[in-house]
């Protein structure tokens, strides 16, 4: 059984499984086919996302516990809705060691722990201790640690609590002596970059990787998940970060056996023409690849030259010093923007040398096999990780990616040719521990170097820098879009498609408004220069990103924009960082926050912001409705992220996990189900019209969604329309709305269809087929969803 659509809910203490169960009637009336839950296993106390699981054996009591899941499942199934749950097999939360039974036992007993093999620890590198990078200051020469005390059978480092192994302390022992006898060592936090000896999720020290490839670890960490299926509580799973696993295919095979071949999706980012391995037991990805295609359909290609020129001017004006150059902030020449692929080669190398240096060093130790580590091998490994063109290979599949990475690495660093060759020879041996480990590591470097660094540096159009996207691809023509949709239907007809998630940098509606900048690129360049004069920050490319985000989400609260600006600037790491708090960085952040305040407090700045928002608002709404319709009716299984059925101008997490006013949505949906056809205004009710009717039609009339055929569009404004026949349901959307308005409307532009009469389910109006005049079909909304009329 596969879902025709899903609706994602973020489950937490303030919106638990009981609250989710109460929402089931609304989701049914909205048209959703399955309810899709964020992680529900017991997580770090107070966690609002649930990806820091601390106990795999129970549904989180804070999230409603087993009783809450049972109630939600019962009510969902009674209403005909399936249940999809997000699971986290790669890692566990260890921020509060005592909360994690496995981690606490490991720290207590070390290599004698029953969970010693569950965690991916390099014991030799830590002298048989787990290194915990938590100290604010290094220990003194005699081992003393300020703030470390013995409290009963525990060591306390300020508010952090760690176990004392039985028999390792006596009355009168000082804290330093007790600490030296433990199976762990508290070390300075900066050692995480170089000396950490346990695998993490990316560079998050408080998320420790587990070896789910071990049959015992799989069995114990999935016993509760297995119960969900044996008792019929859950119908499908979303697997978080399979690229972190030693053997993703093997894991998915075990999961299929455990769940009875249930519907399983993988949170996997595909690069370019990359495809999921065909032998994986999965229905598809969670849809970031679809998101990228949908966005680009609504970006005007004619705006690229002006936005490129703006980006080049901003980078030249800022200048690039030697450190930035090494980290990927490349110079530009003429009107050419920074080269994306050169940028990420630098940012990924910076990550491999920096916060993931400990992972590269561990790979080098595996290759050395007990001998002294060759520094050239460390260098070659970092260069290969930086050059790797996709998140990871799955040897023997994907060996060509390693070849490509070697070619790029040796081209970029000819001096490393010999070392690269030696390293690649080891990495090609899929049985070698270094080969397995490199496959787990390359995705970390990609994620941190691209999603969490370069996406905050590449500024020509913020729509392009979204999870799963290639920012060097500016836009798609309708023909290119249709071709990709047809491939999606043929290859993964039940894979998820998405527009917004808990991981997106900007919500779909923010991106839809920002996309309009490509149609008014010259005006945007002038506006940005005016804003930079009025509220200078001193980093042109970052200011471009910041002001695009502000106008894309306006009116956002002051607090939300300050939080976004701080996170984005520190992730970019060009003018400030999370860790190195220099005077220059502090001064930069002061100017940055002053600019955000100026958007609210300075009349001239606020006027500029609101003036350009007035230009963008209506065409942005048009884009939002268009991208929503094409996703909700397109190939795959569309997901609606919580609250996204109305306008949602959320930014990067945790902003996109804010509470949702479902009462408002319920009231507006009742009006629509009663026959209302709301106008396109700031309430977002028009988007609810599209979402409700598209989801309901897809759920109740699957016979109308059996194929994908582009419909011909003819006329002077044909470039502003995209139309498709999904097997009886016709989806028509407006694109490039500014150009359309400047041309005076649709005029004689038509869509060619089969004969007969059609009914637009969004408005209830009847239209005669054959040559559909867009001036008539799209006179209420910039989108239409037509089905054969019943005479």
């Amino acid at each position: 059984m596969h879902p025709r659509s899903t609706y994602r809910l973020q489950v937490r203490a303030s919106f638990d499984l009981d609250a989710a169960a109460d929402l089931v009637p609304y989701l049914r009336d909205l048209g959703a086919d399955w309810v899709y839950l964020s992680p529900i296993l017991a997580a770090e106390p107070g966690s609002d996302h649930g990806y820091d699981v601390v106990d795999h054996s129970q549904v989180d009591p804070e999230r409603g516990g087993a009783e809450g899941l049972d109630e939600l499942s019962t009510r969902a199934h009674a209403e005909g809705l399936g249940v999809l749950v997000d699971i986290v097999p790669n890692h566990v939360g260890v921020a509060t060691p005592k909360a994690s039974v496995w981690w606490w036992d490991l720290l207590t007993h070390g290599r004698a722990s029953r969970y010693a093999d569950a965690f991916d620890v390099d014991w030799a590198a830590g002298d048989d201790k787990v290194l915990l990078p938590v100290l604010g200051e290094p220990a003194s020469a005699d081992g003393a640690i300020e703030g470390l005390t013995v409290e009963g059978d525990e060591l306390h480092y300020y508010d952090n609590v760690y176990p004392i192994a039985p028999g390792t302390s006596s009355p009168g022992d000082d804290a330093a002596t007790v600490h030296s006898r433990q199976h762990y060592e508290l070390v300075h936090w900066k050692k995480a970059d170089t000396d950490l000896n346990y695998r993490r999720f990316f560079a998050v020290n408080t998320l420790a990787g587990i070896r789910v490839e071990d049959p015992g670890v799989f069995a114990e960490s999935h016993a509760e998940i297995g119960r969900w299926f044996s008792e019929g509580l859950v119908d499908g799973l979303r697997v978080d970060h399979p690229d972190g696993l030693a053997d993703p295919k093997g894991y998915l095979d075990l999961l299929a056996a455990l769940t009875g071949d249930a519907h399983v999706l993988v949170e996997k980012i595909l690069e370019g023409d990359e495809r999921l391995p065909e032998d994986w037991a999965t229905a598809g990805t969670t849809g970031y690849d679809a998101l990228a295609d949908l966005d680009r359909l609504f970006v005007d290609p004619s705006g690229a030259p002006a936005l490129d020129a703006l980006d080049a001017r901003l980078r030249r004006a800022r200048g690039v010093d030697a450190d930035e150059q090494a980290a990927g902030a490349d110079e530009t020449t003429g009107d050419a923007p920074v080269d994306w692929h050169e940028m990420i080669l630098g940012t990924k190398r910076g990550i491999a040398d920096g916060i993931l240096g400990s992972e590269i060093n561990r790979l080098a130790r595996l290759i050395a096999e007990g001998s002294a580590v060759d520094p050239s091998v460390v260098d070659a490994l970092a260069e290969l990780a930086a050059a790797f063109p996709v998140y990871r290979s799955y040897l023997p599949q994907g060996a060509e990616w390693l070849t490509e990475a070697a070619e790029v690495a040796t081209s970029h660093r000819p001096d490393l040719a010999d070392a690269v060759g030696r390293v690649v020879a080891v990495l090609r041996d899929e049985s070698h521990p270094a080969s397995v480990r490199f496959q787990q590591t390359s995705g970390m470097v990609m994620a941190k170097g691209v999603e969490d660094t370069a996406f905050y540096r590449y500024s020509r159009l913020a729509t392009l820098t979204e999870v799963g996207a290639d920012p060097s691809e500016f836009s798609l023509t309708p023909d290119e879009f249709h071709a990709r949709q047809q491939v999606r239907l043929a290859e993964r007809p039940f894979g998820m498609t998405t527009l917004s998630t808990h991981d997106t940098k900007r919500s779909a509606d923010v991106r839809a408004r920002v996309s309009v900048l490509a149609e008014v690129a010259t005006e945007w360049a002038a506006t940005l220069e005016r804003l930079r004069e009025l509220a200078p920050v001193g980093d042109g490319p970052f200011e471009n990103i910041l002001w695009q985000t502000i106008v894309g989400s306006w009116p956002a609260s002051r607090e939300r924009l300050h939080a976004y600006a701080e996170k984005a600037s520190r992730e970019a790491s060009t003018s400030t960082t999370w860790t190195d708090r220099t005077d220059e960085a502090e001064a930069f952040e002061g100017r940055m926050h002053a600019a955000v305040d100026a958007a609210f407090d300075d009349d001239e700045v606020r006027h500029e912001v609101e003036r350009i928002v007035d230009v963008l608002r209506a065409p942005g709404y048009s884009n939002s409705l268009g991208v929503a319709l094409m996703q909700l009716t397109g190939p795959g299984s569309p997901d609606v992220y919580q609250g996204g059925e109305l306008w949602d101008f959320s930014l990067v997490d945790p902003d996109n996990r804010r509470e949702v006013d479902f009462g408002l949505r319920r009231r507006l949906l009742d009006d629509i189900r009663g026959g209302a056809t709301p106008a396109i205004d700031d309430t977002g009710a028009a988007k609810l019209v599209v979402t409700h009717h598209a989801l309901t039609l897809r759920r109740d009339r699957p016979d109308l969604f059996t194929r994908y055929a582009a419909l011909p569009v003819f006329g002077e404004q044909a470039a502003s329309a995209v139309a498709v026949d999904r097997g009886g349901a016709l989806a028509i959307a407006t694109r490039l709305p500014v150009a359309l308005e400047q041309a005076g409307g649709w005029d004689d532009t038509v869509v060619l269809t089969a004969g007969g009469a059609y009914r637009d389910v969004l408005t209830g109006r009847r239209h005669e087929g054959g040559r559909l005049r867009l001036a008539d079909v799209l006179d209420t909304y910039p989108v239409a969803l037509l089905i054969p009329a019943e005479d």
Side-chain angles (χ1 to χ4, degrees), residues 534-553:
L534 293 170
V537 176
D539 182 338
F542 177 75
E543 289 169 273
N544 196 6
I545 292 173
L546 177 63
W547 287 112
Q548 286 185 48
T549 302
I550 289 174
V551 301
S553 59

Side-chain angles (χ1 to χ4, degrees), residues 358-400:
S358 56
E359 298 294 335
I360 300 298
N361 289 336
R362 183 168 179 181
L363 281 167
R365 293 194 299 270
L366 289 171
I367 290 176
E369 297 181 324
S371 302
V373 171
D374 182 346
S376 70
V377 168
V378 176
D379 202 355
L381 282 164
E383 196 67 23
L384 283 167
F388 214 76
V390 296
Y391 275 71
R392 65 166 284 173
S393 56
Y394 310 92
L395 295 177
Q397 298 182 65
E400 69 274 12

